[in-house]
Amino acid sequence: SPTYSFTITANTTLEARFSPNKYNIVANATDGGEATGGGSFDYNSKATVIAKVNTGFNFLGWYENDKQVSDSPTYSFTVTSSRNLTAKFSADKHSIVTNATAGGTVTGAGNFDYNSNITVKATASTGYNFAGWYENGLKVSDSQTYSFVVKSNRTLEARFTPNKYSIVTNATTGGTATGGGSFDYNSKATVTAKADTGYSFLGWYNGSTKVSDSPACSFTVTESVNLTAKFSADKHSIVTNATAG
């Protein structure tokens, strides 16, 4: 008992002994790091809690009851009461840039948290094929829909290639036709018809449909076509006369 009563019968030396109260220090951590240093401490002793940040995260500070009490990862203080401390961390933000060559569009770019899962998507335009996702000149995916975990800033390029179409040139009797071959979608092709001596050029035909009156026919390639240059023989008048008899 703090109060001690007794009868004095001789000289006596008494010692009152005291022990410090114990206080509990709790160290918590949000996602993105670790917290150490919690435990049971004597009153007026020194406590130190330490926050360790994981790769891809930033330390925001030590918080108590949603109020910041320190912005240092190492926080030392004199213990006077129990405390519940939380080391807060935030994920680094990383930029994902998506580009596209001619022939398509891309979606999915933006700023994302470290370790988050994202998906970028490439869509080929009419007349084009998707050739792959590239980064720094190296192919990273053959899939139009490319999903990955964000670890750093990235610049991705979706590449597209034009479809190839066949242009076939034929000629009827009386001339020649040139300019056929394999052509990229949306490229320009020119086919040329040349009439032989004694023949006239009638036109370029696709099946039974005339598509041009010009011997040199230029057009934008959007599909395979089979063209025929038609010719007709020139007509000549033969006149015969006779004398009397």
Side-chain angles (χ1 to χ4, degrees):
S1 170
T3 302
Y4 173 40
S5 299
F6 61 95
T7 301
I8 298 173
T9 59
N11 294 333
T12 304
T13 300
L14 299 173
E15 181 182 69
R17 296 185 177 181
F18 301 90
S19 62
N21 292 336
K22 296 285 188 180
Y23 293 101
N24 194 36
I25 304 300
V26 178
N28 305 296
T30 61
D31 289 340
E34 301 173 1
T36 60
S40 180
F41 293 85
D42 290 343
Y43 177 84
N44 228 27
S45 64
K46 182 181 178 181
T48 299
V49 290
I50 299 173
K52 182 180 178 182
V53 66
N54 294 340
T55 300
F57 289 81
N58 289 306
F59 176 66
L60 297 178
W62 282 102
Y63 286 77
E64 185 175 22
N65 298 322
D66 290 328
K67 292 183 179 180
Q68 188 179 65
V69 294
S70 177
D71 57 9
S72 173
T74 300
Y75 174 39
S76 298
F77 55 93
T78 300
V79 176
T80 58
S81 63
S82 293
R83 301 182 70 180
N84 194 320
L85 302 169
T86 300
K88 292 188 177 182
F89 305 90
S90 67
D92 293 342
K93 293 287 186 181
H94 293 286
S95 174
I96 305 300
V97 177
T98 55
N99 300 311
T101 61
T105 59
V106 291
T107 58
N111 292 313
F112 299 91
D113 288 346
Y114 176 85
N115 236 21
S116 59
N117 290 283
I118 73 160
T119 299
V120 292
K121 184 177 181 181
T123 303
S125 303
T126 300
Y128 289 82
N129 288 310
F130 175 68
W133 282 103
Y134 286 77
E135 185 175 22
N136 298 322
L138 299 175
K139 183 183 281 189
V140 295
S141 178
D142 286 312
S143 174
Q144 288 180 256
T145 301
Y146 174 38
S147 299
F148 57 93
V149 177
V150 175
K151 298 291 186 182
S152 62
N153 295 332
R154 300 183 70 180
T155 298
L156 302 170
E157 181 181 68
R159 294 184 181 180
F160 303 90
T161 57
N163 294 336
K164 295 286 188 179
Y165 293 102
S166 179
I167 305 300
V168 178
T169 56
N170 307 291
T172 61
T173 302
T176 58
T178 59
S182 180
F183 294 85
D184 289 344
Y185 176 83
N186 229 26
S187 63
K188 182 180 178 181
T190 299
V191 292
T192 304
K194 183 178 180 182
D196 294 339
T197 300
Y199 288 82
S200 296
F201 175 67
L202 297 178
W204 282 102
Y205 286 78
N206 183 359
S208 61
T209 303
K210 180 186 281 190
V211 293
S212 178
D213 288 311
S214 173
C217 174
S218 297
F219 55 94
T220 299
V221 176
T222 58
E223 62 182 347
S224 294
V225 292
N226 196 319
L227 300 172
T228 300
K230 292 187 177 183
F231 303 91
S232 65
D234 294 341
K235 297 291 185 180
H236 295 281
S237 175
I238 306 298
V239 178
T240 57
N241 298 308
T243 60

